[in-house]
Amino acid sequence: MSTRRRPAPAPPEPPAVPVRLLDWRDGRHFAWPEPCVLCRKTTPLRSHAGEAAHKTCAELWNAAHPGETRFVSDPPRSGKSKDHA
């Protein structure tokens, strides 16, 4: 007896515009898991407006909708950064 596997889903088409990465390091971006407003898979992340959204989904949405400000980055931190990367 053999089992059939479903073919892997095709990867999403890359956006025509380069993807700008979001900075969502602040703890206010985390809450109880809820479905992402874009892909419907569960995520603990929240946008600045409180929408449940994966960071990558938000970045792809921004690239597909240039000029709209639905998802934004945190403001830059003042002072010296502890970031080594």
Side-chain angles (χ1 to χ4, degrees), residues 3 7 9 12 15-16 19 23 28 40 43-44 46 54 66 71-72 76 84:
T3 59
V19 175
D23 178 358
R28 291 174 285 182
R40 306 306 302 162
T43 180
R46 299 291 182 274
H54 293 104
F71 302 107
V72 295
H84 297 286

Side-chain angles (χ1 to χ4, degrees), residues 23-72:
D23 178 358
W24 282 4
R25 295 181 211 180
D26 193 281
R28 291 174 285 182
H29 290 288
F30 296 91
W32 291 102
E34 290 184 16
C36 174
V37 295
L38 301 170
C39 75
R40 306 306 302 162
K41 292 182 182 176
T42 306
T43 180
L45 290 173
R46 299 291 182 274
S47 70
H48 285 84
E51 293 179 291
H54 293 104
K55 185 174 166 279
T56 53
C57 291
E59 291 164 346
L60 290 172
W61 189 91
N62 280 347
H65 300 87
E68 296 187 38
T69 57
R70 182 176 181 181
F71 302 107
V72 295

